[in-house]
Amino acid sequence: MNSRHIASVILLLFSLTLTACAAERKLTIWDDQPAKKWDVAYPVGNGRLGAMPLGLFPQEKILINEETIWARNDDTMVMPDSSFERLEKIRELEAMGDYQAADKEFTKNLQANIRPNVYQLVGWVQIEYQNAAPIKKTYRELDMRTGVAKSVHTLNDGTEITQKVFASSPDDVIGVTIVANRKIDVKVSYEGQSRIDNGDIVISGAASRNNGTGTRYESRIRVCSTGITANDNSVTVKASREITIYISTATDFDRTNSMAVLPDGWQEKALSDLDELKAKTPEAVEKTSIKDHQEYFNRLDVDFGKTSDDVLAMPTRTRLKRIKDQAADDPDLIETYFQFGRYLLIASSRPGCFPANLQGLWNPHVSPPWGADYHLNINIQMNYWPAESTHLPEMHTPFFDLIRYFQPSGKEMAAKLGMKGWCMGHATDIWGHSRIMSSTAYWGGSFFGGQWMTFHILEHYRFNRDRKFLEDNWDILTASAEFVESWLIPGPGEGMLMARPACSPENSFKYTDSSGNTVSAAMSAGNTFDQFMILQVFEDYLEAAQVLEKQEDPLVKKIKAIIPKVYRPRIAEDGRLMEWRLPFEEHEPGHRHISHVIGAYPGNQINLDSDPKMRDAVMKSIEGRLKRGGAKSGWSRAWTIGMFARLCDGKRAHKNLIAILEKSTKDNLWDNHPPFQIDGNFGATAAVAEMLLHSHNNEIKLLPALPEQWLNGHITGLRARGDYTVDIEWREGKLISAVIHPGKNAKGEVSVVYNNVSRKISGDRITQKATLSFEDFRSIGHD
């Protein structure tokens, strides 16, 4: 064995040591005061149930959510029968160049001036610590390695009370354990009207808004301890040192049919979930919950460098403020922020559940911002950007289930518009309503929300190479392609195929009308967002067809013939990627949406590695947005980080990562749109993964956007397309080692690239882990 191979073995052993030690390092968000507002508390969740303890004393409050509790208005949520005629009128006006009239026709006759239904809460659990001494100090934390939120209250008389809150997926309950070093008195209740049933505190209700009815629910609190007394609507515990509280919730929501509800008897789930815990100790319930959480969370570990013990001793909010004050010596906080995105996805999106909404799973409002609904023009998609790359593919499955769940209503929408296949508007709710629900054209004038969702089907396949997954979703890919194909019409001039009408999501432009006035509008034809969407849907369909050997299917052959006729976005005179087909002036130059770069990221229709002109155009578009005040919202900043990471610009990716912490992050590290909106957390986590690893164009690119601030570090468990898992270690800003672990579906040949030098892995090395070091790249002439 030569010296280079010996060095590789030593480095591999060192990497394995780092992985083994990862679980020993704390990974917590903590504070030395209670949460003054709900949106700085620490969230726990099991995908279906969520909880947020505020850490208050002596009157603790814990928010409880269940994912299917949504209001349901009586308003009709389907497209009117006249939709096709209205669409044709809009197309006619757009073709005449009367864009503002097209907007007005859309607003008056095609959209519905309503919004999706809203997500609501179960309620607040109240824990009153009675007859207690005054509080001396409070410590609360979220341990992301265990999924447990803990509060420790130290009282003036020496009493110490430790409260833990967790959301168990195996047992499908919220658990609260209270342990004190002295006997304490506690009163437990649900805020609002409740009752006692066989010793449990029970609250029943229904989601409602604007006289509509929605999901009915029943939630139970069971208190386990000694010295228990049940009152009219509460339970009191006297002189106990250990108290366990379990919260269960059942609803009448039918997960197989949104038009139906479960028959009476659905309430029994809340009771049976609690009864099944009788044979289990509190320690066993908590241990099982932690083990289940760690099965997912522990797949990936990261280290961006050393933070001093003095800084680590500060509460997270203080460390975040230091970042806002330009401190640059806390890489541990960046690690925590990155891992928090993974934690939130595990907590808010589990197999068998619905996907994370605008607020993930957590909401204290009857009327939350934007309804905490499903926005389909960036937000729900961004929620799942980190699912594959950060080793959480199971958390992606609720999103795929939602796409299938939306098929009936989406097909009805397409038919009402006179089209084939399946589509969705820009926003919807848990009921799958497919009506265009907006009040202006620039909000509602996006018809490809469903198509953007289907991007994720091919992405999941690319990472896992699961042929059966493609087979199972071929019908959805077909329906998506059918809609796009039927939506296309020839444009002016050469007759290239384009989307008409089309809006660049939530943006508008200025133009000169027939009277010579400068006016604003949103509706046009062939905008860049829609054209890249069309190309992505078609190319994805052909890719899936090749895998499934369906190249001779009639629609596949038709799509293949159509692609060369699709209008392709162009570069403006100033070098930027055009947002609209015509050189319109931007109404808001610093707009938060950067949808016209979707072809570069997260899409793949612009090859940034081999098309320098389009690469430069994308770069100038992002620079132009930022120069004019863009990236104001958390999710917009997250997309910007990801774009610079995809462009291999570590300096500006890091600059914008710091900016999202400075401008759009709350004390508990939640994203601040403002207000709180969870997509920015997920988008930023995906962007950090993109800084460390690219896996496009059948190559694995190591440390493509490593910033100088992360001088020494490692990451283990990153996922790469082709079914690979990658561990990377670097020192002094240079690669030390990379271990490529192939999955069961990895095959063929893959290039591993570092600093523009490529090494091919094939043959025997594709079936077992391959270790590369800096020397491997030096050996072919690179230093």
Side-chain angles (χ1 to χ4, degrees):
M1 182 180 291
N2 61 37
S3 60
R4 191 179 75 189
H5 289 154
I6 293 173
S8 295
V9 171
I10 293 172
L11 291 168
L12 174 58
L13 292 174
F14 182 62
S15 178
L16 293 173
T17 302
L18 288 174
T19 303
C21 293
E24 298 177 8
R25 298 201 310 270
K26 292 191 69 176
L27 194 57
T28 59
I29 304 169
W30 70 276
D31 208 335
D32 57 6
Q33 63 184 29
K36 296 178 181 178
K37 296 181 179 179
W38 84 275
D39 58 3
V40 293
Y42 298 144
V44 299
N46 67 4
R48 188 179 79 90
L49 299 173
M52 296 194 72
L54 301 186
L56 299 170
F57 189 90
Q59 301 276 356
E60 169 68 308
K61 296 183 68 175
I62 303 174
L63 172 67
I64 304 296
N65 285 109
E66 198 278 346
E67 63 170 355
T68 65
I69 298 179
W70 289 64
R72 187 166 192 166
N73 294 334
D74 294 332
D75 301 311
T76 178
M77 295 290 193
V78 296
M79 298 294 292
D81 292 335
S82 61
S83 294
F84 176 68
E85 289 76 13
R86 299 302 184 185
L87 175 64
E88 289 297 289
K89 179 63 176 178
I90 294 167
R91 285 177 160 176
E92 177 185 335
L93 293 168
E94 191 281 331
M96 293 168 55
D98 196 348
Y99 308 114
Q100 197 171 70
D103 280 12
K104 290 178 180 178
E105 177 68 21
F106 175 90
T107 302
K108 180 180 179 181
N109 293 316
L110 196 58
Q111 73 172 14
N113 192 20
I114 56 176
R115 291 188 175 185
N117 288 293
V118 301
Y119 176 56
Q120 297 184 345
L121 70 159
V122 176
W124 289 91
V125 172
Q126 300 178 126
I127 301 175
E128 180 183 350
Y129 293 93
Q130 299 180 322
N131 307 314
I135 186 77
K136 181 178 181 181
K137 64 179 180 179
T138 290
Y139 168 88
R140 64 186 180 93
E141 71 170 28
L142 174 65
D143 186 339
M144 286 186 281
R145 293 198 186 281
T146 63
V148 176
K150 181 172 70 175
S151 301
V152 181
H153 304 294
T154 304
L155 311 187
N156 283 343
D157 65 356
T159 302
E160 184 173 280
I161 303 169
T162 299
Q163 172 192 287
K164 294 181 180 180
V165 180
F166 59 91
S168 171
S169 180
D171 290 309
D172 205 14
V173 295
I174 302 296
V176 183
T177 62
I178 302 170
V179 177
N181 62 350
R182 298 180 180 180
K183 293 180 179 181
I184 57 174
D185 300 339
V186 171
K187 178 183 177 182
V188 183
S189 62
Y190 245 131
E191 186 176 77
Q193 188 174 2
S194 61
R195 67 184 191 277
I196 297 295
D197 178 44
N198 292 324
D200 295 341
I201 306 164
V202 182
I203 185 171
S204 301
S208 63
R209 188 186 183 205
N210 298 334
N211 299 318
T213 59
T215 312
R216 292 185 296 160
Y217 60 89
E218 181 167 294
S219 186
R220 286 177 172 263
I221 302 174
R222 181 166 296 176
V223 182
C224 306
S225 185
T226 58
I228 292 179
T229 302
N231 305 305
D232 290 340
N233 58 4
S234 64
V235 169
T236 300
V237 179
K238 292 289 187 181
S240 179
R241 292 186 179 183
E242 295 185 3
I243 303 166
T244 301
I245 302 167
Y246 294 121
I247 302 111
S248 63
T249 304
T251 77
D252 71 345
F253 187 89
D254 188 339
R255 293 172 182 268
T256 64
N257 182 2
S258 67
M259 296 296 105
V261 296
L262 295 176
D264 201 41
W266 56 267
Q267 302 90 336
E268 293 303 313
K269 174 176 169 52
L271 180 61
S272 63
D273 284 346
L274 295 179
D275 286 346
E276 289 177 7
L277 299 175
K278 289 179 179 179
K280 302 179 182 180
T281 65
E283 293 79 11
V285 174
E286 181 180 353
K287 183 177 180 180
T288 301
S289 177
I290 292 172
K291 181 180 179 182
D292 172 76
H293 170 78
Q294 291 180 338
E295 178 184 343
Y296 303 109
F297 190 84
N298 287 354
R299 293 173 180 172
L300 185 149
D301 182 65
V302 66
D303 181 8
F304 291 142
K306 173 66 176 174
T307 295
S308 72
D309 291 340
D310 289 343
V311 174
L312 290 174
M314 300 176 186
T316 303
R317 62 180 166 82
T318 304
R319 293 166 64 188
L320 184 62
K321 185 177 184 304
R322 292 181 76 251
I323 296 286
K324 295 176 180 180
D325 293 338
Q326 308 305 306
D329 58 352
D330 195 357
D332 179 85
L333 186 61
I334 306 297
E335 299 163 22
T336 302
Y337 179 68
F338 168 74
Q339 289 279 35
F340 187 48
R342 297 183 67 246
Y343 169 84
L344 290 172
L345 191 58
I346 296 168
S348 63
S349 183
R350 289 293 194 100
C353 297
F354 275 86
N357 60 45
L358 283 176
Q359 293 183 188
L361 182 60
W362 303 275
N363 169 47
H365 307 295
V366 173
S367 296
W370 299 284
D373 65 20
Y374 294 130
H375 262 53
L376 310 184
N377 63 358
I378 174 61
N379 311 94
I380 193 171
Q381 291 89 348
M382 184 177 282
N383 285 358
Y384 290 89
W385 286 3
E388 302 297 335
S389 60
T390 70
H391 217 143
L392 298 172
E394 297 91 342
M395 310 309 143
H396 216 162
T397 56
F399 188 68
F400 303 131
D401 293 342
L402 189 75
I403 297 173
R404 185 162 297 283
Y405 179 77
F406 283 170
Q407 289 301 295
S409 59
K411 288 179 179 179
E412 181 180 15
M413 177 177 176
K416 291 290 182 70
L417 289 168
M419 305 296 150
K420 296 179 289 184
W422 169 81
C423 68
M424 296 292 291
H426 89 291
T428 187
D429 48 41
I430 201 171
W431 311 107
H433 291 128
S434 57
R435 183 79 187 263
I436 298 174
M437 292 180 278
S438 62
S439 56
T440 65
Y442 61 80
W443 279 345
S446 295
F447 296 86
F448 286 163
Q451 277 59 43
W452 194 345
M453 294 173 77
T454 63
F455 278 25
H456 288 243
I457 294 174
L458 263 292
E459 274 295 87
H460 182 75
Y461 167 76
R462 292 179 188 122
F463 275 91
N464 299 282
R465 297 296 186 192
D466 182 353
R467 178 189 169 103
K468 186 177 185 305
F469 175 78
L470 274 190
E471 290 175 345
D472 292 344
N473 288 281
W474 176 251
D475 61 324
I476 292 175
L477 294 173
T478 298
S480 181
E482 283 177 335
F483 176 78
V484 173
E485 185 274 326
S486 62
W487 186 258
L488 293 177
I489 58 174
E494 299 174 354
M496 299 296 286
L497 298 175
M498 60 184 62
R500 173 179 282 163
C503 288
S504 191
E506 301 190 21
N507 207 355
S508 56
F509 56 84
K510 294 180 181 180
Y511 75 102
T512 302
D513 67 10
S514 58
S515 300
N517 299 316
T518 299
V519 295
S520 296
M523 289 284 178
S524 64
N527 73 56
T528 297
F529 168 77
D530 282 61
Q531 296 306 120
F532 277 136
M533 290 285 292
I534 292 162
L535 291 167
Q536 189 75 55
V537 168
F538 284 173
E539 294 288 359
D540 284 356
Y541 193 56
L542 296 186
E543 182 180 343
Q546 184 173 1
V547 173
L548 300 177
E549 300 176 335
K550 293 179 179 289
Q551 296 95 324
E552 297 304 312
D553 281 16
L555 182 61
V556 174
K557 295 172 72 174
K558 185 175 185 180
I559 296 300
K560 187 175 182 179
I562 285 174
I563 287 178
K565 302 174 185 177
V566 174
Y567 173 80
R568 292 179 179 268
R570 298 177 183 177
I571 300 172
E573 290 184 2
D574 64 3
R576 290 186 294 162
L577 181 64
M578 295 180 71
E579 185 165 358
W580 296 277
R581 179 176 58 87
L582 299 176
F584 296 129
E585 180 184 352
E586 297 155 298
H587 178 76
E588 187 182 344
H591 198 270
R592 61 194 175 277
H593 278 263
I594 52 174
S595 304
H596 54 305
V597 303
I598 192 174
Y601 179 84
N604 62 13
Q605 294 307 294
I606 298 176
N607 191 325
L608 297 173
D609 297 323
S610 63
D611 190 340
K613 289 184 179 180
M614 285 300 282
R615 175 190 173 86
D616 289 347
V618 170
M619 179 73 83
K620 288 178 181 179
S621 293
I622 301 302
E623 291 172 341
R625 274 288 204 269
L626 291 174
K627 184 178 179 180
R628 296 166 177 83
K632 292 185 287 289
S633 65
W635 61 261
S636 180
R637 183 73 66 176
W639 197 348
T640 302
I641 303 165
M643 274 306 316
F644 281 123
R646 184 68 187 90
L647 289 161
C648 301
D649 190 334
K651 182 177 181 179
R652 284 193 279 190
H654 185 268
K655 180 180 178 180
N656 281 276
L657 179 60
I658 296 302
I660 201 172
L661 291 169
E662 290 176 342
K663 302 175 181 180
S664 301
T665 301
K666 291 181 171 291
D667 287 348
N668 63 352
L669 301 188
W670 254 353
D671 181 69
N672 193 18
H673 181 283
F676 159 60
Q677 196 167 289
I678 204 166
D679 38 24
N681 285 108
F682 296 131
T685 291
V688 171
E690 193 75 13
M691 292 169 72
L692 300 174
L693 185 73
H694 289 180
S695 58
H696 312 279
N697 306 319
N698 197 36
E699 67 178 22
I700 295 173
K701 188 178 291 186
L702 307 172
L703 305 179
L706 182 71
E708 62 182 14
Q709 290 83 354
W710 302 345
L711 196 61
N712 303 304
H714 74 265
I715 189 162
T716 61
L718 270 180
R719 290 283 291 163
R721 294 170 183 85
D723 193 19
Y724 299 100
T725 302
V726 182
D727 305 335
I728 311 171
E729 184 190 347
W730 64 94
R731 193 176 303 153
E732 298 299 324
K734 292 183 178 180
L735 175 72
I736 293 296
S737 71
V739 185
I740 316 297
H741 306 266
K744 65 180 181 179
N745 296 319
K747 59 183 179 179
E749 185 176 71
V750 65
S751 296
V752 181
V753 180
Y754 174 67
N755 273 1
N756 297 318
V757 178
S758 176
R759 291 295 302 268
K760 296 235 182 244
I761 299 177
S762 60
D764 292 340
R765 298 186 81 183
I766 210 74
T767 62
Q768 56 188 323
K769 63 186 176 185
T771 303
L772 298 172
S773 72
F774 183 65
E775 293 296 322
D776 286 291
F777 297 94
R778 283 173 58 100
S779 66
I780 55 173
H782 179 75
D783 189 346

